[in-house]
Amino acid sequence: MANKLKLILSENAPTGDFVTVCLIGDGARIVPRLEKAEAASLIAAMGKAQFTGKSGKTLTLYMEDNTYLLVGIGEKLEAGLDAETIGGKLFTALEATAQKRGHMPDHGLAEDVMADLLFGARLAGYHFEEYFTETDSAKESVSLNVTAPGINDEHALIQDRNALFEGVAMARDLVFEPANKLYPEVFAERCKTLAPLGLEIEVLDEPAMQKLGMGALLGESRLVVMNWKGGGDEAPVALVGKGVTFDTGGISLKPAKGMEDMKWDMGGAAAVTGAICALAGRKVKRNVVGVIGLVENMPDGNAQRPGDVVTAMSGKTIEVINTDAEGRLVLADALHYTETRFKPRAMVNLATLTGAILVSLGKEYAGMFTNSNELAALLSAAGERTEEKLWQMPMGEAYDKMLKSHIADMKNIGGPYGGSITAACFLERFVENTPWAHLDIAGKAWSDKSTPTVPKGGTGFGVRLLNRLVDEWKDVNRNEK
């Protein structure tokens, strides 16, 4: 991971050639505290350019004595998504200037607004450049010097947002990595690097999983447990991620076109890893355990075949009809293991599970399936607050019956319709008494276009959502049957 933005919190303006960054409210209202003559000059220039301060609009003014970058904030700049988006717009506009060096004078903003604005700028500055052999770091970098009395690198809100950014960046990095560089063993080693944050990290290799009876997950695989104990003796909230580091479809081979994108079929595991990284970095006072199942799905002489029957850790048998429906096998053992070992107060699993969810929801929402209306409400609220939105999908007996097998307890796929729903019904069979939600993020882990704070490519979807869920946690119950 690289970040194009160099952020400097200082009471002094930089020397040399730089751009003065000014937030402008509706009606060309100047927010920073400028000298009268300077403000009057700016107002005149904005009038000529017809710049009114509409939220998200930017304008660069090259004036006789200085260069100004104006960023519209509308009627009022609020903490949260509003400030983050403005921060992202600010970074993009500053990067487009000739100087690429900015100074943001004191604007008198509330501390939470300033922290979120800078967080948004850092999110926008994320850049994955690991495999470029020719880069000009000096040319690419953007620096922003910020004067905000009382705000420095040690400020609690700044440290909190920095830790959250590190989690998002880690998830994005993992999704961007090519499959020949990031496979189950390497992913597990990446998770081990989080131990200095205070996490307890366990990696179960194939013999350990064989001993536990994880017949659904076993292959070239690893199971990683990341345990954050910030809440004393309370039962943890459990986060479970699907980590298929490359998915060819196995014997049920996918079409060649677009198969290179299947490196991000570990987006659920990336989200859980990034979320745990952020929670530990922020020292959140809750117990949270992250469990990720890591595999590759490749054709091989020893690969699972259509028609094979495997026995999951729970003891239930599964007829494998389609080897491209492998993610649910990974999650079946991971969910059972997590529930029986940790006795969590709730479980949330994330997975790039089905193409069918894109048919249902496009790329605007992730699909949410759950046995708890209370958990659904918490997740939906967290999604709205972070712009990582969820849409609750139906489940039920009629869909569940589609999984009936004539030789085993269940098939791993249903019929031709409702594929994302029958996948969720499959997972629910491996959850006993715990409030649980399954988030199908197949349309959200990777993006073909950028937004003010999310790059084209790996999005890191889920990290902020899960952190918000834990921050605003309230105990939930299963629906009554």
Side-chain angles (χ1 to χ4, degrees):
M1 180 269 291
N3 199 301
K4 293 183 180 181
L5 178 64
K6 181 181 180 182
L7 192 59
I8 304 164
L9 300 178
S10 171
E11 294 183 3
N12 302 314
T15 58
D17 190 18
F18 63 86
V19 177
T20 299
V21 178
C22 298
L23 304 184
I24 306 297
D26 268 352
R29 172 175 50 86
I30 297 175
V31 179
R33 296 159 183 172
L34 303 177
E35 297 291 336
K36 286 186 178 181
E38 187 179 13
S41 178
L42 264 186
I43 290 171
M46 284 190 288
K48 290 180 181 179
Q50 297 184 336
F51 185 82
T52 62
K54 184 177 179 180
S55 183
K57 296 296 183 180
T58 63
L59 174 67
T60 303
L61 291 174
Y62 296 93
M63 301 177 70
E64 185 175 348
D65 297 325
N66 200 358
T67 301
Y68 293 89
L69 172 58
L70 311 182
V71 183
I73 61 170
E75 291 185 10
K76 186 179 180 182
L77 186 60
E78 302 279 0
L81 286 174
D82 188 22
E84 291 172 20
T85 300
I86 294 300
K89 294 277 190 178
L90 188 162
F91 169 82
T92 301
L94 182 58
E95 185 183 28
T97 65
Q99 295 91 331
K100 294 188 181 350
R101 297 179 69 237
H103 173 235
M104 185 175 175
D106 181 22
H107 278 61
L109 298 177
E111 292 180 348
D112 57 347
V113 173
M114 178 59 77
D116 288 336
L117 185 146
L118 298 180
F119 176 52
R122 290 197 74 193
L123 287 172
Y126 170 89
H127 180 59
F128 188 82
E129 61 177 25
E130 182 69 21
Y131 302 107
F132 289 103
T133 58
E134 296 182 9
T135 58
D136 187 343
S137 298
K139 184 178 180 181
E140 291 288 335
S141 65
V142 177
S143 67
L144 178 62
N145 188 296
V146 178
T147 299
I151 299 286
N152 56 43
D153 291 327
E154 304 303 316
H155 192 285
L157 288 175
I158 296 298
Q159 291 192 332
D160 178 90
R161 303 306 189 273
N162 286 347
L164 186 55
F165 169 77
E166 292 299 327
V168 173
M170 182 169 202
R172 290 177 179 177
D173 284 352
L174 290 167
V175 173
F176 266 105
E177 284 283 2
N180 65 320
K181 301 293 185 181
L182 185 76
Y183 40 91
E185 297 90 335
V186 174
F187 200 135
E189 291 300 317
R190 292 277 190 98
C191 293
K192 288 181 180 179
T193 66
L194 301 180
L197 294 175
L199 286 161
E200 293 181 3
I201 310 288
E202 296 176 62
V203 178
L204 280 66
D205 59 12
E206 291 175 38
M209 288 185 283
Q210 186 95 44
K211 188 174 181 180
L212 288 168
M214 292 185 176
L217 196 160
L218 269 171
E220 295 294 326
S221 51
R222 294 289 187 274
L223 188 83
V224 180
V225 177
M226 297 167 282
N227 205 346
W228 171 248
K229 296 181 177 179
D233 296 328
E234 68 178 21
V237 175
L239 311 176
V240 182
K242 167 194 168 185
V244 179
T245 57
F246 195 77
D247 182 14
T248 66
I251 301 300
S252 305
L253 193 67
K254 293 177 182 289
K257 184 178 180 181
M259 194 190 290
E260 68 276 6
D261 288 342
M262 288 300 97
K263 69 178 185 176
W264 50 257
D265 204 22
M266 32 58 68
V272 169
T273 305
I276 290 289
C277 171
L279 289 164
R282 296 171 58 228
K283 308 301 179 190
V284 171
K285 297 186 184 303
R286 285 226 171 258
N287 290 343
V288 185
V289 61
V291 177
I292 57 174
L294 303 172
V295 302
E296 283 186 321
N297 189 21
M298 304 282 282
D300 181 86
N302 296 314
Q304 287 180 354
R305 295 154 295 206
D308 284 356
V309 174
V310 298
T311 302
M313 184 183 177
S314 67
K316 295 174 181 176
T317 56
I318 305 162
E319 181 186 9
V320 178
I321 301 297
N322 189 325
T323 64
D324 195 22
E326 82 299 331
R328 63 201 69 183
L329 301 179
V330 173
L331 288 171
D333 280 342
L335 285 167
H336 179 78
Y337 173 81
T338 302
E339 184 176 33
T340 55
R341 176 179 172 185
F342 294 103
K343 307 294 189 295
R345 57 183 58 201
M347 290 194 296
V348 179
N349 75 255
L350 293 88
T352 51
L353 203 63
T354 66
I357 201 65
L358 280 90
V359 177
S360 301
L361 300 176
K363 293 195 171 186
E364 302 307 312
Y365 290 83
M368 174 171 60
F369 306 80
T370 181
N371 63 11
S372 168
N373 291 333
E374 295 175 3
L375 181 56
L378 285 181
L379 281 163
S380 293
E384 291 292 332
R385 293 283 297 274
T386 57
E387 199 61 24
E388 296 190 336
K389 295 182 180 181
L390 309 173
W391 190 269
Q392 187 169 358
M393 300 286 287
M395 296 176 69
E397 186 178 356
Y399 296 106
D400 193 65
K401 285 180 179 178
M402 296 181 188
L403 297 170
K404 186 177 180 180
S405 167
H406 71 288
I407 64 167
D409 295 331
M410 70 197 83
K411 300 184 295 185
N412 74 327
I413 61 169
Y417 307 118
S420 58
I421 302 174
T422 54
C425 291
F426 179 92
L427 295 180
E428 189 179 27
R429 292 181 177 216
F430 297 90
V431 178
E432 296 297 331
N433 300 311
T434 305
W436 157 83
H438 156 55
L439 308 184
D440 193 334
I441 64 171
K444 301 301 293 182
W446 186 270
S447 179
D448 296 327
K449 58 183 180 180
S450 63
T451 72
T453 57
V454 179
K456 179 180 178 180
T459 64
F461 182 94
V463 174
R464 298 163 67 200
L465 166 69
L466 295 174
N467 272 257
R468 179 72 71 170
L469 173 72
V470 173
D471 285 347
E472 300 179 354
W473 182 257
K474 296 177 183 176
D475 280 336
V476 296
N477 297 299
R478 283 193 58 158
N479 299 334
E480 292 185 9
K481 291 188 175 181

